[in-house]
Amino acid sequence: MDERPVWAEAVGTPGGVEVWWDEPRPAEGGRRCVVRRAADGTLSDVLPAGWNARNRLVEYGGRSWRPLPGGGLVFTNWSDQRVYRLDGGDPVALTPEGPFHYGDLYLPPGRPEVWAVRETRTSGAPERDLVAVPLGGGEVRVIARAQHFLMNPRLSPGGGHVSWIGWNHPNMPWDGTELCVAPLSADGTAGPHTVVAGGPEESVIQVEWRDAESLYAITDPTGWWNIHLVHLDGTTRNLTPLSQEFGDAPWKPGLTWFALAGDRIVTMYGTSDGRRLAVLDPATGDLRDIGGESTYWAPTLSFAGGKAAGVAASPYTPYEVTLVDLDGGARAAVSAPKALPERALLPTPEPVTIEGVHAHLYPPHGVSGPAPYVVFVHGGPTGTSPLVLDLEIAYFTSRGLGVAEVNYGGSTGYGRAYRERLRHQWGVVDVQDCAKVARGLVATGRADAARIAIRGGSAGGWTTVAALVHSDVFAGGVAHYAITDPESWAAETHDFESRYLDGLVGPLPETRSRYRERSPLLHAGRASGPCLMLHGLEDAIVDVGQAERFVGELERHGKEWALLTFPGEQHGWRREETIIAVLEAELAFYGLIFGFETPEVPPLDLKGRA
């Protein structure tokens, strides 16, 4: 469940700096509402009830809205995937009905249009192009068609060129992408493009124009995502030659890790153990921290009127939209404050490294000596668990359960070499790393060896069920919308990830034996403990059949299991009633396998339990 704003934007006005962001509304069916904070501090919902600023670009969704000069809004609406304009009153559709999905919205300076990546889904693989949508209505214009996947369209100063980032199967965008530049003709279409940075083994993830002849780009030829100056002739210079990450995996087209601030750059950098906000002087490479006590900044950043707007968190504060004065250093959380438990109930996290594996430990409240622990496994698998306040974790630690978040080999935040530990080793390295952390907790007296569970969602759900069948460490597992059989998943999943497993396991059919050896579905009889499966019935990324077939095999082998499904939910939990039901079922599950009472939540029925 994602409780943070995905996008935030600062807007300069005559009265000062406004800040716009989107926020989840679980009580309103899980919609994303765009919120505006005026320069005087007044908060207002921009998007009327019933409208949802989301889209299905590459299924995970791209940048879904932009504020317009004068206070209007352009956005994509979830229910029909069309682009709308809102200037008070009812939103007006700018794009036609059809098999189209728009995302990664961008307002090119000086042009009365919004640019977007358009995905057309008919028969066969989706097609994508860069398009211009007139803000006053009219025909959608194709700017460029190039690689199979596209993101980050940008117009050069003076309007002479267009740039974008593209890549093709079997690469994922963190494997290798190309930074493309093409001349823009008078009719608004792009000519033949030139690749000025990137390649099959270099990942460019964000680009902004510096001037008409050069761009700033986050790319990783050194093995770390650093900021580079890229000239149109292809020459580059690393402005931040550090073993630090200035970006991470671009699961959602349109993410931003830096923003231009005149002749300076405001940027985030660090690792998954801590990501700072700083001002970079491109001429000297000097970095000046301005993030204050916030220890992690989410990948959305913008600048206007001397101030940067982003989304920040710390181990004791949730993600908040934050406005930072670049010169004065003043910082203020501008989003509405969230109700939090007493500070005494919040765990104090500890970053650790156990046998080369990065992890964050959250101790249980009020428990001394070896305690029951749950290993949390993030999704992706090319993702990460940052060291920030997570009320889901606090829900369990406040009830006497310790939590260990494992950033296993393959995680972002620690450089390409650490990510590449998972190449062709998914289902092996991730399982081994989680087991190493669990055994380390036992060896140091923190955890009770007989009471350690594992849980995760999506790819983390895969690692959960793989650890149950391929190790003997865990007493049970909770798998949210999990992959349970990699070969069938590769055949039935969406286009963006349809070749992901080429790098994680190996190409098919050449490496089919690996798929079969690692498949939890085919080895369900080895499960070391019970399994709770949780799945949304509208999941287009991992079909519910993955869960249904797995519990069928558990049943056939006499193992204990439960499967809960949720109508109206996709890949992740967004509705208030689902979020509550999932947490309560998970707590009840731990009570059953660890042997403690959970009278505050509904009972859970484990099939096959005597």
Side-chain angles (χ1 to χ4, degrees):
M1 59 201 77
D2 192 351
E3 299 180 348
R4 64 176 175 84
V6 178
W7 322 104
E9 186 158 345
V11 178
T13 73
V17 175
E18 296 185 350
V19 188
W20 297 53
W21 64 89
D22 62 278
E23 61 185 32
R25 296 287 173 85
E28 299 176 32
R31 79 180 183 114
R32 284 265 166 183
C33 181
V34 178
V35 178
R36 174 185 184 184
R37 180 189 184 268
D40 64 3
T42 304
L43 293 178
S44 60
D45 287 356
V46 179
L47 207 59
W51 296 85
N52 186 357
R54 288 179 61 207
N55 58 68
R56 292 181 59 185
L57 180 65
V58 301
E59 289 300 344
Y60 291 100
R63 178 69 192 248
S64 58
W65 57 269
R66 291 281 186 176
L68 295 172
L73 177 75
V74 60
F75 69 99
T76 58
N77 185 49
W78 175 256
S79 64
D80 59 6
Q81 297 295 303
R82 299 167 75 185
V83 178
Y84 285 81
R85 177 171 182 164
L86 176 65
D87 288 291
D90 294 329
V92 176
L94 298 179
T95 55
E97 296 179 338
F100 308 116
H101 299 73
Y102 300 85
D104 201 357
L105 303 188
Y106 165 70
L107 294 175
R111 300 182 74 97
E113 55 195 22
V114 57
W115 288 3
V117 177
R118 180 178 66 179
E119 192 173 71
T120 304
R121 302 185 187 184
T122 52
S123 59
E127 296 179 352
R128 297 175 187 87
D129 42 26
L130 298 180
V131 299
V133 179
L135 290 172
E139 185 176 349
V140 175
R141 182 182 77 253
V142 175
I143 300 170
R145 290 190 174 100
Q147 296 90 340
H148 189 58
F149 297 100
L150 307 165
M151 67 179 183
N152 199 164
R154 294 292 187 269
L155 179 66
S156 68
H161 290 85
V162 57
S163 65
W164 67 86
I165 296 168
W167 70 99
N168 292 306
H169 284 314
N171 268 358
M172 299 299 287
W174 41 86
D175 297 324
T177 61
E178 296 176 329
L179 167 53
C180 302
V181 175
L184 192 67
S185 66
D187 65 0
T189 60
H193 71 267
T194 301
V195 176
V196 297
E201 297 182 356
E202 180 184 338
S203 169
V204 185
I205 57 172
Q206 185 192 345
V207 172
E208 307 293 343
W209 285 88
R210 175 196 186 214
D211 53 38
E213 299 296 327
S214 60
L215 312 94
Y216 294 119
I218 298 177
T219 185
D220 71 341
T222 66
W224 295 87
W225 273 311
N226 292 164
I227 300 177
H228 292 68
L229 177 62
V230 180
H231 296 279
L232 295 189
D233 63 5
T235 59
T236 65
R237 179 166 62 92
N238 191 345
L239 304 179
T240 57
L242 302 171
S243 296
Q244 300 278 317
E245 297 282 44
F246 286 72
D248 54 42
W251 283 95
K252 294 177 178 289
L255 298 175
T256 52
W257 296 268
F258 74 90
L260 303 187
D263 58 359
R264 299 175 294 175
I265 299 173
V266 56
T267 184
M268 56 190 76
Y269 74 101
T271 71
S272 293
D273 300 331
R275 181 188 274 172
R276 307 291 299 166
L277 187 71
V279 176
L280 169 67
D281 183 338
T284 65
D286 178 62
L287 279 169
R288 176 172 57 87
D289 280 4
I290 59 171
E293 296 181 358
S294 298
T295 57
Y296 199 81
W297 291 78
T300 179
L301 199 58
S302 70
F303 173 83
K307 297 180 180 181
V311 178
S314 79
Y316 304 106
T317 55
Y319 285 107
E320 298 172 310
V321 180
T322 303
L323 197 60
V324 183
D325 187 298
L326 262 61
D327 295 313
R331 290 172 292 273
V334 297
S335 50
K338 297 179 181 178
L340 296 177
E342 296 178 14
R343 178 69 175 266
L345 294 176
L346 299 179
T348 299
E350 176 188 356
V352 300
T353 303
I354 298 174
E355 296 185 46
V357 182
H358 299 285
H360 302 148
L361 305 184
Y362 295 81
H365 180 73
V367 178
S368 59
Y373 258 81
V374 182
V375 170
F376 273 42
V377 192
H378 65 71
T382 312
T384 195
S385 292
L387 192 70
V388 298
L389 175 63
D390 185 331
L391 293 180
E392 190 174 51
I393 289 175
Y395 178 81
F396 295 115
T397 58
S398 66
R399 287 160 173 81
L401 296 169
V403 169
E405 283 187 316
V406 179
N407 282 322
Y408 49 86
S411 301
T412 59
Y414 306 99
R416 182 180 278 261
Y418 194 76
R419 292 203 311 277
E420 292 289 335
R421 287 187 58 224
L422 203 61
R423 179 160 292 275
H424 295 162
Q425 296 296 313
W426 195 42
V428 178
V429 164
D430 49 329
V431 170
Q432 292 173 347
D433 284 2
C434 289
K436 285 177 183 177
V437 171
R439 292 191 181 104
L441 294 173
V442 173
T444 56
R446 293 176 184 258
D448 179 349
R451 295 191 294 165
I452 301 179
I454 185 169
R455 64 91 78 175
S458 191
W462 150 272
T463 302
T464 294
V465 293
L468 280 183
V469 304
H470 295 308
S471 78
D472 59 1
V473 175
F474 301 103
V478 179
H480 301 242
Y481 33 92
I483 299 164
T484 65
D485 181 61
E487 185 171 0
S488 62
W489 178 75
E492 67 193 18
T493 193
H494 62 130
D495 183 52
F496 177 61
E497 293 182 271
S498 62
R499 300 291 299 278
Y500 195 6
L501 296 192
D502 283 30
L504 292 175
V505 181
L508 286 167
E510 299 92 319
T511 60
R512 177 165 285 121
S513 60
R514 290 183 199 163
Y515 286 74
R516 297 185 66 83
E517 289 165 4
R518 300 177 195 177
S519 171
L521 177 70
L522 299 182
H523 302 285
R526 300 178 185 173
S528 59
C531 187
L532 169 61
M533 306 290 290
L534 305 152
H535 220 104
L537 292 179
E538 295 182 8
D539 194 334
I541 294 171
V542 180
D543 187 79
V544 69
Q546 291 276 323
E548 292 169 341
R549 292 190 291 271
F550 185 66
V551 298
E553 284 299 293
L554 292 176
E555 174 79 15
R556 189 169 72 86
H557 289 283
K559 301 294 183 177
E560 298 177 50
W561 61 274
L563 170 61
L564 303 180
T565 59
F566 300 93
E569 292 286 6
Q570 297 96 42
H571 198 64
W573 314 126
R574 291 178 173 84
R575 300 185 176 195
E576 183 177 69
E577 60 271 23
T578 305
I579 293 169
I580 293 171
V582 163
L583 281 173
E584 291 183 341
E586 192 166 343
L587 180 63
F589 177 81
Y590 298 137
L592 287 174
I593 67 170
F594 290 155
F596 62 86
E597 300 294 326
T598 56
E600 71 269 39
V601 300
L604 178 70
D605 178 28
L606 277 180
K607 310 297 182 183
R609 191 171 185 84

